[in-house]
Amino acid sequence: MVRPPLTELDRERGHRLGAILRQARGSRSMAEVAAAAGLSAETVRKIETGRIPTPAFFTIAALAQTLGVSLDVLVEVCTPERAA
C-alpha cells in the first residue's frame, strides 16, 4: 500500500499534536514517558517534533493514557476548524 503524500494540513496537525503531548509530558523525561507507554524514546521525540505527523492510533492512545490526556482533547486540538 502506497501512502499518499502529506498535506500542509497534516503537517500542521502533527505539530499541534506534538505540542500538546510535549506540554502534557511536563517535567517527565521523554524516556520515562516512552517506557510507560511501551514506545521508544525516538518515536516520542519524532511525534513531539512533528516528524511523525500522522502516528498510528494505538501509539497516540498509549501516549494519551500515559500522560493522562483525553483522546477527546487531542481530537479537539488537532481538528482544524477548532484549532483556530
Side-chain angles (χ1 to χ4, degrees), residues 17 21 39 47 55-65 71 74:
L17 174 64
L21 293 174
L39 304 168
I47 292 169
F57 171 78
F58 292 105
T59 300
I60 294 306
L63 281 172
Q65 181 177 16
L71 289 174
L74 295 179

Side-chain angles (χ1 to χ4, degrees), residues 1 3 8 24-25 31 34 70 76:
M1 182 168 140
R3 240 180 123 153
E8 188 57 39
R25 182 167 56 85
S70 164
E76 195 167 316

Side-chain angles (χ1 to χ4, degrees), residues 10-29:
D10 292 331
R11 287 184 190 86
E12 181 183 321
R13 196 172 25 230
H15 285 290
R16 285 196 303 266
L17 174 64
I20 194 74
L21 293 174
R22 191 170 41 255
Q23 180 182 1
R25 182 167 56 85
S27 63
R28 289 182 278 183
S29 76

Side-chain angles (χ1 to χ4, degrees), residues 17 20 64 68-79 82:
L17 174 64
I20 194 74
V69 177
S70 164
L71 289 174
D72 291 333
V73 168
L74 295 179
V75 168
E76 195 167 316
V77 167
C78 295
T79 302
R82 293 184 185 162

